[in-house]
Amino acid sequence: MAASSLKRIDVCLSPELIDLYPLENRTVVVIDILRATSCVTTALAHGVGEIVPVADLEACRGMRSAECCTAGERNGEKVDGFDLGNSPFEYMNPELAGKRIAFTTTNGTRAINKSLSADEIIIGSFLNLHAVVRYLKSGTRDILAVCAGWKGKVNLEDTLFAGALVHELAGDAEPECDAPLMALHLYRQAQHDLAGFLSNSSHVKRLKRLHIEKDIAFCLERGKYDVVPVVRGGVIVKGNLL
Ligand code: MLT
């Protein structure tokens, strides 16, 4: 904690930069708005039992069993032979309640796996923004928002969510360097029209080319679900709500 009584919040704009940030004594919030962390939030809100984030596609495929579904994407497209893709709407299926899902995505699961040495990891998305803010306010650790980005590059949508956290936590956590300030300015500029602000962003254009516009609108809804996914022993489960 800082010398003042405020916690500190920092933003890692790409998993490639994570080695620059201390993870000890931090709560890491992993962010992949389009669409991995939005899927995880939706899945747990709809009763999925647990999600195992797997970086490697073939390792994920090998986990398929009667007890475990496989899910995820590469370059936005469902993987051949997997049970589920990476659309939040697929995770609302009541048949998935209580199930275990092995999950691999281009960037999101990589960001989770690169954060595993943190003291605490939670999963953030606009869909659970308010629950995440409440959770972070009640904690005492400094906060690091880790943006999944796209193949090592920075993206707008994850940076915007990091900015939303800095905005919502004003008075509780102070920005530690310029990345949280950049994210905050961006969010304040975009907050009244997130979809319009993101219309030229690269992953929005990529998803539109794949005709998945409805996922974009859904993933930008703020505070739809009162759930905080947490990573425990490398597995994502529903955390206790405060
Ligand atoms: C990712 O992990 O890169 C994304 O979730 C990609 C996607 O939109 O499917």
Side-chain angles (χ1 to χ4, degrees):
M1 290 258 300
S4 75
S5 59
L6 293 183
K7 295 183 283 249
R8 292 177 297 179
I9 181 164
D10 211 340
V11 175
C12 172
L13 292 167
S14 153
E16 297 305 310
L17 299 173
I18 203 158
D19 293 339
L20 301 176
Y21 296 87
L23 298 182
E24 309 79 52
N25 207 23
R26 294 264 162 176
T27 296
V28 164
V29 186
V30 178
I31 306 162
D32 185 0
I33 298 302
L34 298 173
R35 296 161 291 168
T37 59
S38 299
C39 283
V40 168
T41 303
T42 304
L44 293 186
H46 285 265
V48 164
E50 55 184 39
I51 298 177
V52 187
V54 186
D56 180 69
L57 191 141
E58 291 313 321
C60 189
R61 195 191 297 283
M63 291 171 71
R64 189 163 193 264
S65 71
E67 288 76 43
C68 186
C69 308
T70 47
E73 55 68 47
R74 280 299 177 269
N75 299 314
E77 297 190 88
K78 184 178 172 195
V79 179
D80 276 348
F82 274 30
D83 300 300
L84 302 161
N86 197 31
S87 167
F89 295 100
E90 295 176 78
Y91 295 82
M92 298 173 185
N93 182 349
E95 287 177 18
L96 293 174
K99 289 270 168 28
R100 178 180 175 90
I101 297 177
F103 186 53
T104 185
T105 71
T106 312
N107 306 286
T109 50
R110 197 162 160 268
I112 295 170
N113 285 318
K114 279 192 159 241
S115 304
L116 284 179
S117 63
D119 283 18
E120 181 178 40
I121 307 169
I122 66 172
I123 302 296
S125 65
F126 282 112
L127 294 169
N128 67 345
L129 172 64
H130 306 320
V132 165
V133 167
R134 223 164 58 238
Y135 186 95
L136 293 172
K137 278 188 176 170
S138 74
T140 54
R141 292 191 181 98
D142 292 332
I143 299 156
L144 178 65
V146 174
C147 300
W150 182 261
K151 297 186 179 177
K153 295 182 178 174
V154 171
N155 75 19
L156 262 185
E157 63 275 13
D158 297 344
T159 309
L160 275 185
F161 180 80
L165 289 183
V166 180
H167 175 76
E168 297 288 339
L169 290 165
D172 186 74
E174 61 186 357
E176 198 166 344
C177 73
D178 289 356
L181 287 177
M182 280 166 49
L184 175 65
H185 289 310
L186 210 59
Y187 179 71
R188 287 193 173 153
Q189 203 182 329
Q191 62 179 321
H192 301 298
D193 181 15
L194 293 178
F197 195 84
L198 290 171
S199 59
N200 281 325
S201 68
S202 43
H203 200 46
V204 162
K205 289 201 275 194
R206 193 175 294 114
L207 291 175
K208 282 183 178 165
R209 279 197 298 274
L210 297 170
H211 307 293
I212 28 193
E213 283 91 344
K214 80 174 184 170
D215 288 15
I216 302 167
F218 183 78
C219 293
L220 298 179
E221 282 184 43
R222 276 166 275 194
K224 185 177 178 65
Y225 295 126
D226 205 26
V227 64
V228 179
V230 299
V231 182
R232 288 211 190 105
V235 176
I236 308 169
V237 294
K238 206 168 169 177
N240 296 328
L241 268 184
L242 306 152

